[in-house]
């Protein structure tokens, strides 16, 4: 496996820049097959911003015509698995009634974040609320949700890069990896 060293920390590459680029194009084709109507793309900040930026440009290549608005959510993990709750730090300003909405997130883990956002948009009258995630940690689910579109299954490691952070660091890495000597 490839590894790089940053500031004394060894980062093992899990998904390379090329692997991600190829998969992102495939995801855009998959979304296009659904023929979304009046598509609104909603990246969930912060972790999804690089994935969303690449996926949006792949949407252009797939001849989709999305609008974009942003939501920032914080999910609080508490001691029992079922008690986490989600807070809206920044809401979209777009009326979703009758529209197809695609929520984008970096990782689907417990599922609480995306389940909350999806329920919210459905309650506001979205025609369809779909979800796209770069990574899925299927063994960690607490909420009843699966991604409509997913890039890769992710091993049960804390991953960084391609928008994802560990204590605010590593978002700038062009690949997804994990810190081997944290
Ligand atoms: P959940 O599905 O509600 O548990 O939340 C998933 C969110 O937790 C993701 O959007 C990430 O922000 C964060 N997260 C989960 N696993 C990781 C990881 O391995 N690295 C970085 N962030 C993670
Ligand atoms: Mg996140």
């Amino acid at each position: 496996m490839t590894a790089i060293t940053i500031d004394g920390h060894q980062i093992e590459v899990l998904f390379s820049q090329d692997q991600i680029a190829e998969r992102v194009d495939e995801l855009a084709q998959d979304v296009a097959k659904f023929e979304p109507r009046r598509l609104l793309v909603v990246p969930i900040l912060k972790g999804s911003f690089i994935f969303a930026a690449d996926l949006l440009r792949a949407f252009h290549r797939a001849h989709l015509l999305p609008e974009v608005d942003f939501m920032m959510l914080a999910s609080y993990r508490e001691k029992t698995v079922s008690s986490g709750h989600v807070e809206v730090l920044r809401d979209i300003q777009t009326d979703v009634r009758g529209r197809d909405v695609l929520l984008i997130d970096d990782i689907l883990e417990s599922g609480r974040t995306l389940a909350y956002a999806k329920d919210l948009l459905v309650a506001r009258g979205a025609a369809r609320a779909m979800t796209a995630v770069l990574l899925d940690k299927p063994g960690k689910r607490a909420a009843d949700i699966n991604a409509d579109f997913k890039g890769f299954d992710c091993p049960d490691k804390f991953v960084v890069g391609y928008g994802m952070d560990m204590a605010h660091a590593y978002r700038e890495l062009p690949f997804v990896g994990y810190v081997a000597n944290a």
Side-chain angles (χ1 to χ4, degrees):
M1 196 157 13
T2 319
I4 67 161
T5 303
I6 300 175
D7 201 19
H9 296 286
Q10 192 183 327
I11 319 277
E12 295 279 352
V13 178
L14 275 174
F15 302 105
S16 72
Q17 200 170 349
D18 288 348
Q19 270 176 295
I20 294 170
E22 191 180 324
R23 191 72 191 108
V24 165
D25 262 321
E26 290 170 357
L27 288 178
Q29 300 294 341
D30 291 345
V31 173
K33 284 183 199 135
F34 272 70
E35 299 182 1
R37 299 181 61 183
R38 299 177 58 222
L39 177 62
L40 177 70
V41 172
V42 179
I44 297 178
L45 299 174
K46 301 171 188 172
S48 74
F49 77 110
I50 292 181
F51 175 45
D54 281 347
L55 191 59
L56 278 162
R57 284 174 287 187
F59 282 176
H60 169 69
R61 295 191 287 277
H63 309 292
L64 289 167
L65 301 170
E67 290 180 20
V68 189
D69 200 349
F70 299 93
M71 191 177 266
M72 187 181 284
L73 300 176
S75 102
Y76 297 95
R77 284 136 210 268
E78 295 175 30
K79 290 191 182 68
T80 61
V81 181
S82 59
S83 68
H85 81 274
V86 179
E87 188 186 348
V88 180
L89 301 181
R90 195 266 180 204
D91 204 345
I92 54 170
Q93 272 136 21
T94 309
D95 187 349
V96 299
R97 276 177 293 181
R99 300 189 67 155
D100 284 345
V101 181
L102 180 68
L103 287 157
I104 301 187
D105 208 353
D106 49 4
I107 303 192
L108 183 57
E109 194 173 21
S110 77
R112 282 192 206 96
T113 311
L114 268 184
Y116 178 89
K118 188 171 173 173
D119 289 350
L120 188 65
L121 296 177
V122 168
R124 289 177 182 172
R128 286 190 289 187
M130 297 176 285
T131 54
V133 299
L134 179 70
L135 303 175
D136 187 6
K137 289 183 181 171
K140 294 282 193 145
R141 208 74 89 243
D144 181 20
I145 186 168
N146 278 306
D148 297 294
F149 309 96
K150 75 168 168 187
F152 305 97
D153 280 325
C154 183
D156 187 15
K157 293 183 183 301
F158 196 87
V159 297
V160 298
Y162 201 64
M164 293 173 282
D165 74 307
M166 179 183 270
H168 309 293
Y170 305 120
R171 290 194 199 272
E172 74 283 11
L173 300 180
F175 55 84
V176 173
Y178 64 94
V179 185
N181 61 346

